[in-house]
């Protein structure tokens, strides 16, 4: 058996706009998905996950989707999670040339699903890494990131940037612009995360922004303005200027809200962080629900969030210097 882990991420800047070629800066955080892979010779994929908000189930499936058991969570969540794992294993079969190999896959994750922290990318990166190594093949980080991106791209019907998967594979802070992904220097960031317990529908939210952008020039300008904020953010990161970073995150949140991807609970958490005198705060990821990211070296934001209606969990997250980790 082999075991790999990969981190989740927050977007410091640039989600949504990255879909239209603007740069984005995600940053890996020490919240991980861990995947165990064991080879099976009957070609089946058997997945066991207690943490993917799937309340612990094991599923065996091959060609027939009816093989999936009844579970007490929405079937759409089950199908999505299974789609990512299945897609990851397809990549493994392709890259190793073992077209008929099966796996027992066990997933543990402390990244909430669909909440803007890159849970699916972390699962896909760790799954591809563990399963390829189980077959004696170790991919370099670029190939791992590329295979993970192809998986997300297929599962999300072509609506995925390289940001999540590259960041999860390499760790640290990264800059993504189109196909160009690279690691960048970042100071030690005092990251606080607020989670509303919910999730947004990435496909729907991306489609919403696309529609606005096509209909209104000012929406297209808003997307470009996010790109400008990102470029300023990169400079602030390079200068280690956390105050400026926070100010730019506030600006980024306002532009995302203008594009209709914030929500009442995300706004409430952002305002709680601002009231607590965080350097800045914004939603992270697709939005619609899920998480915000704030910068605050004191305990004030975490405390304020714990009293904010709509916030279910607040926690501090260290930057994850290391991306994929090979554990066994
Ligand atoms: O919610 P997440 O972590 O999957 O982030 C989505 C980010 C988008 O820019 C909205 C889409 C993408 O693939 O870049």
């Amino acid at each position: 058996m082999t075991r790999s882990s990969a981190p989740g991420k927050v977007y410091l800047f640039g989600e949504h706009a990255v879909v239209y070629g603007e740069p984005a800066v995600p940053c890996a955080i020490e919240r991980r998905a861990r995947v165990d892979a064991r080879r099976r010779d009957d070609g089946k994929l058997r997945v066991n996950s207690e943490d993917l908000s799937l309340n612990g189930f094991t599923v065996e499936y091959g060609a027939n989707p009816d093989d999936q058991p009844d579970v007490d969570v929405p079937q759409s969540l089950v199908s999505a999670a299974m789609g990512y794992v299945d897609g990851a294993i397809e990549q493994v079969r392709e890259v190793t040339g073992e077209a008929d190999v099966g796996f027992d896959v066990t997933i543990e994750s402390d990244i909430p699903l669909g909440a803007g922290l890159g849970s699916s990318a972390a699962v896909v990166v760790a799954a591809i890494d563990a399963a390829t190594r189980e077959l004696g093949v170790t991919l370099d980080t670029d190939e791992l990131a590329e295979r993970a991106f192809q998986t997300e791209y297929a599962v999300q019907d072509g609506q995925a940037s390289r940001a999540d998967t590259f960041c999860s594979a390499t760790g640290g802070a990264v800059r993504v612009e189109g196909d160009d992904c690279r690691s960048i220097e970042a100071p030690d960031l005092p990251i606080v995360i607020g989670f509303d317990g919910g999730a947004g529908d990435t496909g729907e939210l991306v489609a919403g922004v696309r529609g606005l952008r096509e209909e209104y020039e000012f929406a297209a300008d808003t997307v470009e303005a996010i790109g400008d904020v990102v470029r300023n953010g990169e400079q602030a990161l390079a200068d280690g200027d956390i105050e400026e970073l926070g100010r730019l995150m506030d600006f980024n949140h306002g532009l995302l809200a203008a594009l209709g991807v914030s929500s009442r609970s995300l706004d409430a958490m952002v305002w709680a962080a601002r009231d607590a005198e965080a350097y800045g705060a914004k939603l992270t990821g697709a939005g619609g629900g899920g998480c915000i990211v704030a910068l605050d070296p004191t305990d004030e934001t975490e405390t304020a969030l714990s009293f904010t209606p709509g916030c279910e969990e607040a926690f501090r997250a260290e930057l994850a210097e290391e991306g994929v980790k090979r554990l066994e």
Side-chain angles (χ1 to χ4, degrees):
M1 190 202 71
T2 47
R3 163 176 268 229
S4 298
S5 80
K9 60 99 214 356
V10 291
Y11 272 95
L12 292 177
F13 302 107
E15 54 273 89
H16 284 288
V18 70
V19 174
Y20 308 100
E22 300 293 345
V25 178
C27 171
I29 54 166
E30 271 310 336
R31 282 239 153 176
R32 287 182 174 263
R34 286 165 293 280
V35 175
D36 291 343
R38 187 189 297 277
R39 179 190 187 111
R40 290 174 72 103
D41 289 320
D42 61 5
K44 283 187 177 162
L45 172 61
R46 194 162 192 260
V47 181
N48 187 353
S49 175
E50 301 206 348
D51 294 331
L52 286 186
S53 304
L54 300 177
N55 300 351
F57 75 104
T58 300
V59 62
E60 259 183 52
Y61 79 126
N64 184 0
D66 296 339
D67 286 350
Q68 296 189 23
D70 287 335
V71 288
D72 58 357
V73 292
Q75 193 59 39
S76 58
L77 260 188
V78 177
S79 307
M82 291 307 298
Y84 286 113
V85 183
D86 193 31
I89 296 305
E90 267 314 306
Q91 291 291 330
V92 173
R93 290 181 177 129
E94 196 183 295
V95 74
T96 59
E98 296 214 35
D100 299 323
V101 70
F103 289 96
D104 285 324
V105 171
T106 304
I107 303 165
E108 290 166 22
S109 174
D110 36 54
I111 312 167
L113 267 189
L117 298 185
S119 56
S120 59
V123 166
V124 168
V125 167
I128 294 177
D129 192 70
T132 45
R133 287 194 303 112
E134 174 72 359
L135 303 183
V137 175
T138 302
L139 300 180
D140 66 34
T141 312
D142 283 343
E143 169 125 36
L144 177 60
E146 175 62 26
R147 297 265 167 193
F149 166 66
Q150 294 301 339
T151 306
E152 285 220 317
Y153 191 80
V155 177
Q156 292 169 202
D157 291 330
Q159 307 211 73
S161 69
R162 293 174 185 273
D164 284 28
T165 37
F166 184 80
C167 188
S168 185
T170 58
V174 308
R175 177 190 198 274
V176 176
E177 185 170 4
D179 291 346
D180 180 41
C181 304
R182 59 185 70 175
S183 296
I184 58 174
E185 291 296 318
D188 201 12
L189 296 172
I191 297 173
V192 179
I193 290 170
F195 175 39
D196 71 3
D201 182 326
T202 303
E204 232 168 68
L205 291 152
V206 170
V209 172
R210 187 181 300 279
L212 280 176
R213 193 172 159 271
E214 279 162 11
E215 190 172 352
Y216 300 108
E217 216 173 299
F218 53 78
D221 291 346
T222 305
V223 169
E224 278 181 34
I226 291 176
D228 289 339
V229 172
V230 180
R231 283 180 277 273
N232 281 278
E234 282 175 63
Q235 190 56 51
L237 268 177
D239 296 343
D241 186 345
I242 295 183
E243 227 168 281
E244 175 72 356
L245 274 179
R247 195 175 310 127
L248 293 165
M249 285 167 66
D250 282 341
F251 218 116
N252 196 160
H253 182 78
L255 295 171
L256 287 166
L259 292 172
V261 298
S262 192
S263 72
R264 198 177 281 268
S265 54
L266 293 174
D267 282 344
M269 291 190 288
V270 162
W271 276 106
R274 289 174 181 170
D275 288 345
E277 294 185 8
Y279 288 120
K282 62 181 279 296
L283 68 83
T284 170
C291 292
I292 64 136
V293 51
L295 296 183
D296 186 354
T298 75
D299 293 338
E300 298 292 317
T301 295
E302 234 179 304
T303 307
L305 285 171
S306 66
F307 291 110
T308 303
C311 178
E312 209 157 87
E313 204 190 333
F315 53 93
R316 196 164 272 291
E318 300 290 319
L319 186 145
E321 300 284 356
E322 216 179 327
V324 68
K325 275 192 196 169
R326 290 159 181 156
L327 304 165
E328 270 174 44

